[in-house]
Amino acid sequence: MATQISDADFSSAEGVAEWRVLFWGAKTLYETGDFATGAKFVAAIAEAAEALGHAPLVDLRPDTVTVQVVTPGVGLSDRDLQLARSISGIAARFGLKPDPSAVQHVQLAFDAEDRPAVMEFWRAALGYVAVGDEDLIEPNLIGPPAWFQDKKFVPPRNRIHMDVSVPHESTQSWPPAAASSATASRPRGCPS
């Protein structure tokens, strides 16, 4: 059984300096240099996760691997901390360079006067699963989660916006750089 830990406890723990706590857990990105190295790294993560009985979310790209640890229904747990430490150790053995400043978390946020009704509509429309009485998640944890908050009727009713969580070190350049380079840059691993 997983025991919930606070974001601060995770962030201040030894062995997870390359991880960043964002909405829905903690994430990091490793530069692998090539797809084959990334695949071997993911295979090693799979072995560690199997031994622990707790799997992370992994995104394998041509030259990077992004890893997220979270315990659905709990948030961050002692098992996530143990798994993150193990993954950091595996990455070190592979000689992989972490770049935690490159991670982010995006979620849809809904302001609704009748939160339960609006949440039910979007749950059915998206095929998402409810987690508590404010959140919906894609069943495979691939798509962005949706968060619903109570909002008294003030035009515009039922506003939808995006919440973006980035590591602290990214906030120094993030908004101005994002605005000025939005049309000029491509995401990491995106073909030109």
Side-chain angles (χ1 to χ4, degrees):
M1 179 91 185
T3 303
Q4 185 177 32
I5 61 173
S6 71
D7 295 354
D9 286 343
F10 183 97
S11 296
S12 64
E14 289 187 36
V16 292
E18 60 209 40
W19 293 79
R20 297 298 178 267
V21 174
L22 306 174
F23 298 152
W24 289 90
K27 285 184 175 182
T28 194
L29 177 142
Y30 295 99
E31 297 175 2
T32 60
D34 59 71
F35 191 78
T37 300
K40 291 174 188 170
F41 176 50
V42 170
I45 291 171
E47 286 183 28
E50 186 69 24
L52 183 59
H54 187 65
L57 303 175
V58 178
D59 183 10
L60 171 62
R61 299 295 170 137
D63 60 353
T64 63
V65 172
T66 303
V67 187
Q68 178 179 356
V69 293
V70 64
T71 302
V74 174
L76 280 172
S77 72
D78 56 337
R79 296 176 81 191
D80 296 313
L81 179 57
Q82 186 178 357
L83 183 57
R85 286 176 172 150
S86 179
I87 292 168
S88 292
I90 294 165
R93 287 193 299 278
F94 272 78
L96 301 180
K97 179 183 171 199
D99 184 4
S101 70
V103 298
Q104 68 176 2
H105 177 85
V106 177
Q107 74 178 14
L108 301 172
F110 295 79
D111 297 338
E113 186 171 15
D114 186 355
R115 182 179 39 78
V118 173
M119 188 173 167
E120 177 56 25
F121 169 82
W122 285 106
R123 186 205 58 75
L126 298 173
Y128 274 29
V129 175
V131 177
D133 61 355
E134 293 184 349
D135 296 291
L136 295 176
I137 59 171
E138 194 271 335
N140 295 310
L141 300 174
I142 295 170
W147 172 63
F148 296 80
Q149 66 179 347
D150 291 319
K151 174 83 171 173
K152 296 299 178 201
F153 178 75
V154 176
R157 184 176 67 168
N158 296 334
R159 292 182 323 158
I160 300 172
H161 59 277
M162 292 176 66
D163 289 341
V164 179
S165 179
V166 298
H168 176 72
E169 64 268 22
S170 299
T171 61
Q172 301 302 318
S173 65
W174 181 68
S180 66
S181 67
T183 59
S185 66
R186 296 186 188 282
R188 196 186 298 245
C190 182
S192 49

